[in-house]
Amino acid sequence: MDSPLLLTAGLILIGGALCGAAARLLRLPTLTGYLAAGILLGGQALDQLPKEHVELMSGPVNDLAMALVLFVLGGQFRLSRMRPLARRMLVLSSVESAITFGLVTALSWPVLGDLAGALLLGIMAVAVAPATTLLVLKEYDAHGPTTDSIQLLTALSNIWAVLAFEVALLVLLWVSGGAGAGPGDVVWDVAGALLYGLLAGHALILMQERVGHGNYSLPLLTVLLITTGVCKLTGVPHMLTFLATGAVVVNRSRYFEPITQAMDLFAQPAYVAFFVLSGVHLDFELLADNWAAVGLYVLGRTIGKVVGARSGLWAAGMHAGNLADRPSPPLGLGLLCQAGAAIALATVAKEYDPELGERLLNIVLGAVVLFELVGPVLVR
């Protein structure tokens, strides 16, 4: 328990590297090995990581890894490329999200016995783990229309989830007569996130032009870290902020590609630590204690993503007949990873209704055990 913090960091990285190599030998995604390393090093098995060190590192590591990944996802919203497909992708994402929401809500309501909780759980089901999804695609050097669609759908799913959750929480609090966020808070969360993203994107471009001198790491890390801190101080959703930051940089400058290429040189340790720590936090007891609710949530979300994506392709006119008679890709399998985004939403619900929020958080955490272990394999 008295071991230095840097020793714990070293154990996390070496454990992730070894288990990641083992996963590659087994033809599994490397991320599966990182998660396995966290399970082995954490309290579920060997218990070799001091809990205070894990708690101390988890917040900053998670924030940095998510900021990097969301910045890259925001870069998918390149207007010159999006314009021809914007309507179709919006239709596809909307249909997929609506079917996922509806199925999870309908299956969860009888178990929870609470319509409000079922609605919030349905919204959480829409969210997709951006880090897991994006890094599996990157590991296998995936390119093409299916890969582009999965990246855009991941970003759009999280946008819908955050926006819908804010509005649903406001309406439910108003109906119940409880105190909490007002319309102004919801407007500020959305407008503030877009404003911060706009400012952060232009600040990054300006820093790169004036002081970057070919160093793409320092301006990026400076802007992301400062923006993360400002978002936390003012209570603004950082997911929307960093998606907006990436969108600004890719559309307003020529620096997006060099920045993302430079990220390969320094971001990997952050990603390894992120997934190992995620494995440490996987709690199999929550899965066992809430098996009925978790099982229905997993079932509804899986069917919703797979059937919803297929239905969305047809609704958007992107089915097999429009793809040179090739079968439509199983996009839904690439949208099943879930972790940080849904957990963050459940944590927000807990702030307004501790009892309901705790129950939703336990269900989501139980489902994350399955989605984070199986999701990367299905993305592959």
Side-chain angles (χ1 to χ4, degrees):
M1 299 300 290
D2 296 327
S3 61
L5 182 62
L6 291 179
L7 176 58
T8 301
L11 287 174
I12 288 172
L13 293 178
I14 189 62
L18 292 174
C19 290
R24 283 194 295 272
L25 290 175
L26 297 173
R27 297 182 181 275
L28 294 172
T30 308
L31 302 189
T32 303
Y34 299 157
L35 291 166
I39 295 171
L40 289 173
L41 291 172
Q44 304 285 335
L46 301 177
D47 198 16
Q48 291 300 302
L49 302 177
K51 291 181 175 57
E52 64 268 25
H53 288 183
V54 170
E55 294 306 317
L56 186 63
M57 296 175 63
S58 292
V61 169
N62 291 356
D63 289 340
L64 176 58
M66 290 293 288
L68 292 168
V69 169
L70 290 167
F71 173 80
V72 175
L73 279 179
Q76 300 303 309
F77 294 99
R78 190 190 295 271
L79 294 180
S80 59
R81 189 179 64 183
M82 281 287 295
R83 284 193 185 97
L85 291 173
R87 185 189 66 81
R88 289 185 173 187
M89 290 304 302
L90 288 173
V91 170
L92 168 55
S93 180
S94 299
V95 170
E96 178 270 307
S97 297
I99 291 177
T100 301
F101 164 76
L103 274 175
V104 172
T105 300
L107 290 176
S108 302
W109 190 4
V111 176
L112 291 175
D114 183 350
L115 178 58
L119 289 170
L120 293 177
L121 203 59
I123 294 172
M124 292 179 206
V126 172
V128 179
T132 310
T133 306
L134 193 67
L135 293 180
V136 172
L137 295 174
K138 183 177 179 181
E139 177 184 352
Y140 292 99
D141 196 26
H143 296 286
T146 300
T147 300
D148 293 342
S149 296
I150 289 176
Q151 291 178 342
L152 279 170
L153 289 172
T154 298
L156 288 170
S157 294
N158 289 316
I159 291 173
W160 304 147
V162 172
L163 295 179
F165 196 85
E166 292 271 358
V167 174
L169 202 57
L170 170 65
V171 172
L172 291 172
L173 287 169
W174 177 74
V175 169
S176 65
D185 297 295
V186 176
V187 172
W188 165 241
D189 281 354
V190 177
L194 295 177
L195 175 62
Y196 287 169
L198 185 67
L199 293 175
H202 284 96
L204 177 54
I205 294 171
L206 183 62
M207 282 190 67
Q208 194 62 63
E209 289 175 344
R210 300 296 174 85
V211 298
H213 304 300
N215 183 345
Y216 297 99
S217 305
L218 181 60
L220 175 65
L221 285 174
T222 301
V223 169
L224 293 187
L225 293 176
I226 291 176
T227 305
T228 300
V230 172
C231 285
K232 288 184 176 293
L233 283 174
T234 55
V236 167
H238 66 278
M239 290 179 59
L240 295 181
T241 298
F242 291 121
L243 287 171
T245 302
V248 168
V249 174
V250 79
N251 286 290
R252 300 284 294 172
S253 77
R254 63 184 187 280
Y255 296 122
F256 184 78
E257 283 76 14
I259 288 173
T260 52
Q261 290 171 7
M263 282 173 55
D264 294 339
L265 302 177
F266 70 87
Q268 190 62 24
Y271 295 147
V272 173
F274 172 78
F275 286 105
V276 173
L277 289 169
S278 297
V280 172
H281 285 104
L282 293 181
D283 192 338
F284 293 95
E285 290 184 4
L286 286 175
L287 178 60
D289 293 342
N290 300 276
W291 64 270
V294 170
L296 288 174
Y297 177 84
V298 171
L299 177 65
R301 186 172 184 271
T302 302
I303 295 175
K305 290 291 183 185
V306 173
V307 175
R310 180 72 62 177
S311 302
L313 284 170
W314 278 91
M318 300 168 70
H319 50 84
N322 287 342
L323 292 172
D325 296 325
R326 292 176 296 170
S328 300
L331 292 177
L333 296 181
L335 303 173
L336 289 176
C337 297
Q338 188 169 54
I343 294 172
L345 294 178
T347 304
V348 172
K350 192 176 175 181
E351 295 175 3
Y352 294 101
D353 188 333
E355 184 177 349
L356 175 61
E358 183 69 27
R359 193 172 183 192
L360 296 179
L361 183 60
N362 287 340
I363 292 171
V364 169
L365 287 172
V368 163
V369 175
L370 297 176
F371 283 128
E372 281 297 271
L373 293 176
V374 178
V377 180
L378 295 178
V379 174
R380 176 180 181 269

